[in-house]
Amino acid sequence: MNNCLKCRALVISLLILNVFQVSVASVVSTGDFNKDFFVMWAPDHVNTSSNGRERSLKLDQVSGSGFASTQMFLFGQIDMQIKLVPGNSAGTVLAYYLASDQPNRDEIDFEFLGNVSGQPYIVQTNIYVDGFDNREERIYLWFDPTEDFHTYSILWNLHQIVFMIDSIPIRLYRNHADKGVAYPRWQPMSIKTSLWNGDSWATRGGLDKIDWSKSPFIASFKNYTIDACVWKGNPRFCRADSSANWWNKRSFSTLTRVQKRWFKWVRKYHMVYDYCQDNQRFQNNLPKECFLPKY
């Protein structure tokens, strides 16, 4: 009888331990840039408020700048409020992305391509899987992103990747791994941001160069949220269907009806470039995912 009680106690203890291990895999960020991020380069070009709640990056002729999360993650959602470089920002690139830092890296990218004053900002999204990208999409923003902060989000789960701006989905990339389409699902990634000189390609294919007389160029960040699975070395905790890993639940496996309407609106009125429509680039051999459903 005592042995049975001990067995039951052991089983319960193991169950509790397993739940605990899964639950600690999910984190809600502190909101303090000093605690959740470190400066990757040019610390003298990174400015953080005294309470750690706001941060800015600077680009001038000396250097760009960037910061990255202290933790790595496998699935979840990140949100960051960003105010883009104002004025004539041609040639500048602000990148906000997830990256695995491996030779065959995975990445999920937002890139904000600077504009000539009066022209709309272009947002480029891209996805790397096992070191290969060529999955660019571009849209014009329907607002001035330099006047105020807007929320830029990435939802990444076992089912799909969703890029969102102020909760409006602007891009989907579905997990069609079962059909032979590459999908980032094994490599943990950190959150990174950087502001740098991309005037060889960023604005009108490199025709518009950076006007250094307008520098320094400043991009600002605040009110970020990280609700993701912290990498602990074992992917099964992040892939588990648990209350902590809410993003993997069936309800997040596709867009809602309202989200689908917004998504179609973005693609109809604001899309500038879609790699899945570029037959010339791919010599009439478009990637397999271009022929598969997005949701």
Side-chain angles (χ1 to χ4, degrees):
M1 184 69 174
N2 287 338
N3 286 339
C4 288
L5 289 173
K6 288 179 181 178
C7 289
R8 289 173 62 188
L10 179 60
V11 170
I12 291 170
S13 297
L14 289 172
L15 287 171
I16 292 172
L17 177 61
N18 186 60
V19 169
F20 177 74
Q21 285 178 316
V22 171
S23 64
V24 296
S26 179
V27 62
V28 176
S29 50
T30 67
D32 186 337
F33 281 100
N34 293 318
K35 294 180 179 178
D36 292 331
F37 295 89
F38 68 94
V39 176
M40 289 191 295
W41 51 300
D44 59 339
H45 283 51
V46 180
N47 184 58
T48 308
S49 63
S50 58
N51 62 4
R53 300 289 169 174
E54 297 189 26
R55 176 166 284 181
S56 64
L57 295 179
K58 181 172 73 172
L59 167 67
D60 58 22
Q61 285 183 284
V62 175
S63 179
S65 50
F67 60 88
S69 61
T70 56
Q71 301 271 17
M72 300 192 80
F73 311 94
L74 185 64
F75 306 126
Q77 180 166 321
I78 61 169
D79 310 284
M80 184 83 74
Q81 289 193 353
I82 305 174
K83 184 159 65 172
L84 301 186
V85 176
N88 185 353
S89 59
T92 68
V93 177
L94 176 65
Y96 158 58
Y97 60 109
L98 297 171
S100 65
D101 294 331
Q102 299 295 325
N104 59 329
R105 74 186 186 278
D106 289 349
E107 275 190 22
I108 303 172
D109 301 345
F110 268 110
E111 290 180 312
F112 305 94
L113 310 183
N115 65 331
V116 176
S117 295
Q119 298 299 313
Y121 245 97
I122 288 178
V123 177
Q124 175 171 285
T125 57
N126 199 2
I127 295 168
Y128 286 71
V129 189
D130 292 328
F132 294 97
D133 61 336
N134 293 331
R135 300 179 180 92
E136 300 92 343
E137 290 187 6
R138 290 184 176 187
I139 66 164
Y140 280 133
L141 289 176
W142 52 93
F143 55 87
D144 185 345
T146 71
E147 289 186 344
D148 204 352
F149 287 87
H150 291 266
T151 303
Y152 302 88
S153 307
I154 297 171
L155 170 65
W156 170 37
N157 61 29
L158 287 168
H159 314 289
Q160 61 181 349
I161 296 167
V162 186
F163 295 81
M164 292 173 281
I165 300 177
D166 294 333
S167 299
I168 294 175
I170 65 162
R171 181 176 184 177
L172 305 178
Y173 186 79
R174 189 139 198 90
N175 184 353
H176 287 298
D178 61 334
K179 298 177 178 65
V181 176
Y183 187 84
R185 53 192 174 132
W186 297 108
Q187 297 187 46
M189 295 193 260
S190 58
I191 305 163
K192 296 185 176 184
T193 67
S194 58
L195 179 59
W196 45 282
N197 177 357
D199 71 2
S200 64
W201 64 276
T203 309
R204 291 205 308 140
L207 294 176
D208 294 319
K209 303 297 185 181
I210 291 180
D211 181 354
W212 291 111
S213 70
K214 305 293 192 228
S215 68
F217 302 99
I218 307 290
S220 304
F221 308 81
K222 69 176 185 178
N223 293 343
Y224 67 88
T225 302
I226 306 168
D227 196 351
C229 184
V230 178
W231 178 248
K232 300 292 185 181
N234 190 335
R236 75 182 183 89
F237 295 131
C238 297
R239 300 170 71 86
D241 184 8
S242 69
S243 57
N245 297 347
W246 58 265
W247 47 82
N248 283 334
K249 292 189 176 298
R250 188 174 182 82
S251 56
F252 295 95
S253 65
T254 188
L255 298 183
T256 66
R257 280 183 294 180
V258 172
Q259 287 177 320
K260 288 176 183 176
R261 287 200 296 270
W262 278 114
F263 177 66
K264 290 176 182 177
W265 173 80
V266 170
R267 296 185 73 81
K268 182 176 181 179
Y269 295 107
H270 300 281
M271 176 153 277
V272 178
Y273 175 80
D274 179 0
Y275 75 107
C276 278
Q277 297 178 10
D278 196 341
N279 278 293
Q280 182 177 357
R281 175 185 180 184
F282 293 99
Q283 300 179 339
N284 293 316
N285 187 26
L286 293 173
K288 186 180 295 186
E289 65 267 21
C290 297
F291 302 98
L292 296 171
K294 292 186 181 295
Y295 45 75

